[in-house]
Amino acid sequence: MSITERIEKFRQSYVNTKPQISCERAKIYTDSYRETEGEPMCIRSAKAYLAACEKLPVTIFDDEIIVGTAGEFKRTGILTPEFSWKWVDKEMDKFSTRGQDPYEMTDEQREFTRKEIFPYWKGKSLEELYLKRLPEDTAKILIDTGVLDNDSKWRQAVGEVTPDYEDILLPKGYQKIKEEALDKIEELDIAIPENIEKIEFYKSQVIICDGIMTFAKRYSDLAYEMAQKEINEKRKAELIKIGDICKKVPAYPPESFHEAIQFIWFVQVGGIICENPLSLNPGRFDQYMYPYYEKDIKEGKLDKDGALELIEALWIKYSEWVWTISENTAGYFAGYNQFQNLTVGGRKRDGSDATNDLTYLCLQATKDVKTHQPGLSVRIHPGAPDDFVMAVCDLVAAGTGFPAIHNDTCGTQMMLQNGLTPEDARDWNNCGCVVPHFRKVGEWTATVNINFVAALEYAINQGKARMTGEQMGLEEKPVTQFTSYEEVEEAFYKQFKNLIRHSVIGSTIAQQVHTEVVPRPYLSVCVDGCFEKGKDLSKGGAKYNVGPVLTGIGLGVVANCLAV
């Protein structure tokens, strides 16, 4: 198997196309929020998504076989002013020239956003409401200091979700989910106070389902329209097939491998439109996609080369969309990295080996396209086939930086410690960088980065930052007055405890404001537990809820400094 001419064309386009900012999503969302003042926030969010699905430009680029984008460009970066706009206003004049992860943006776009978008959101965004509630002493050490960092949780959406393709999305399709939500609304008596919020939640689910189905139908209509004008018979047939597929999915369950891939890409694009999220993970692709692959292979509708081309086309789509972030955040998450972690290998829920033909095709696809997404992870357990281990080594030797290799037993144990059942724990996938995760979990993983070295710096510098001389930590006596190692260690832990305290304060306030300002009706459809509880994902609707997780930076440096 070798990379096809089509995929190489896509790959070169991805490599040579500069990321561009689209204002379309921001305009549509702003107009929608203006029209829905006073309505429940989950309904407003859902209606804004529906409006975007109705009005965003739809484009099928040359030779595409997997379609859908969040804007008018191949490598589109969107603006989400309901989360934050001030950093955009401050930085967008230098978007194209900034040192890390630049974006192309025109003067006309900048003028438009400052005149038509930002004024509405003044005082309403997640960022502004969060900063208003943050205690002054916490803000001093947390906001844009590099000592503590959680700005990806209040200048951006949380992300960190794995859609439940196995049990919810692929088996049901969005039309059935909509019907089930309508049934729930009929069952609940609004005269009972606790039902009011549940009814609002289910109404938001109905609107979300209408949105994604509308979006797909527009692509179906466009494909049919393009087919009528296409003179190349092969491409005409492809466009008709795209039209047929988008007419069916994601409204209804897929029946073929191509349909299933288009389904999961529509889900991914929907998440991008809603939140521009970090770590919207495809999860265990080789497991939930295998039944469609196996069926098509047995029926002679697909061969390995055809499957590989579809997978590689999907890999390119994962890489094309651009996570729009501040310069500060880009310093932590460089390389336009959306951290869409896709996991293969490992064990099945019953403990048997999960490796299959798709596992190997995913490794081959990453080796062929050499893109930065998806973030490919592999799970290795003691009974992993030798051929799989060698295929992993072969990909490592190719120098792509993939796959990330994870100890399957450790991942399962971590899930058990988080309260998952043994079957669910064995079904884990990676989230973002390296976090063992599960598709029925609501989680804030990398909630705040804590600079461990800062605690030591403050311990031996009277609580002051050496670069600025500013009092950032707790007051401490001069280092010349320490008389033993134990005193240094005690001072370190005192400062470290203070950093953790402010991290917790900043994180819990962020979680509270999220529930009030930016609920997650779209991703609530995708995560098990939310529908059963009638509760938004941001409010703990998932079957399992974990976190927020504090992440340490500079542990090795501190360990070396304190070693005796």
Side-chain angles (χ1 to χ4, degrees), residues 165-432:
Y165 292 111
E166 290 91 325
D167 295 332
I168 300 176
L169 300 179
L170 292 174
K172 292 183 177 182
Y174 280 82
Q175 180 61 37
K176 182 173 179 59
I177 295 171
K178 175 185 174 179
E179 292 168 0
E180 291 178 349
L182 289 170
D183 289 342
K184 286 286 189 179
I185 294 169
E186 285 294 315
E187 293 171 8
L188 293 169
D189 184 355
I190 198 170
I192 300 174
E194 54 264 32
N195 284 347
I196 295 174
E197 190 171 337
K198 289 184 178 181
I199 291 171
E200 292 170 354
F201 169 80
Y202 289 120
K203 285 181 177 179
S204 76
Q205 303 293 274
V206 170
I207 298 168
I208 291 295
C209 291
D210 282 338
I212 196 169
M213 292 189 292
T214 297
F215 192 62
K217 185 180 183 302
R218 292 179 65 211
Y219 272 95
S220 175
D221 292 343
L222 176 61
Y224 288 142
E225 180 184 331
M226 291 174 65
Q228 290 180 346
K229 302 174 184 177
E230 180 60 57
I231 59 174
N232 182 291
E233 290 300 319
K234 180 181 178 183
R235 182 57 180 164
K236 180 190 286 286
E238 288 178 346
L239 288 166
I240 292 171
K241 185 176 183 180
I242 290 170
D244 292 343
I245 289 173
C246 296
K247 185 178 180 180
K248 179 178 181 180
V249 300
Y252 301 99
E255 296 178 274
S256 71
F257 189 71
H258 194 164
E259 288 175 357
I261 280 192
Q262 183 62 63
F263 189 117
I264 65 175
W265 177 245
F266 273 138
V267 173
Q268 197 78 3
V269 175
I272 295 165
I273 293 169
C274 274
E275 296 194 0
N276 186 39
L278 174 72
S279 303
L280 183 54
N281 309 288
R284 301 191 72 187
F285 180 90
D286 61 341
Q287 302 305 300
Y288 60 77
M289 288 295 296
Y290 186 72
Y292 305 99
Y293 170 84
E294 183 182 39
K295 176 176 177 290
D296 282 1
I297 291 289
K298 286 181 177 179
E299 294 177 359
K301 297 177 181 178
L302 185 72
D303 58 22
K304 285 189 175 183
D305 287 342
L308 181 61
E309 184 176 53
L310 287 168
I311 294 169
E312 290 177 349
L314 179 63
W315 267 217
I316 298 289
K317 296 299 283 186
Y318 281 132
S319 299
E320 283 178 344
W321 84 271
V322 179
W323 188 37
T324 317
I325 53 178
S326 69
E327 188 169 20
N328 179 66
T329 304
Y332 285 89
F333 305 105
Y336 305 109
N337 196 340
Q338 310 93 327
F339 296 95
Q340 301 163 103
N341 204 307
L342 187 148
T343 305
V344 298
R347 293 174 293 172
K348 296 179 181 179
R349 293 175 62 83
D350 64 5
S352 61
D353 178 63
T355 308
N356 58 45
D357 284 351
L358 274 186
T359 312
Y360 294 94
L361 288 177
C362 289
L363 297 175
Q364 185 64 45
T366 297
K367 184 178 181 180
D368 286 346
V369 298
K370 300 177 177 66
T371 55
H372 73 301
Q373 293 292 293
L376 183 66
S377 294
V378 297
R379 292 171 42 181
I380 303 293
H381 61 91
D386 290 344
D387 286 347
F388 174 52
V389 176
M390 292 308 297
V392 169
C393 293
D394 181 63
L395 179 54
V396 171
T400 64
F402 293 118
I405 302 171
H406 294 266
N407 185 311
D408 193 43
T409 303
C410 290
T412 299
Q413 187 61 43
M414 289 178 69
M415 292 293 94
L416 288 170
Q417 291 173 347
N418 283 335
L420 275 65
T421 65
E423 293 78 12
D424 285 349
R426 285 192 287 266
D427 201 13
W428 66 276
N429 62 276
N430 269 299
C431 172

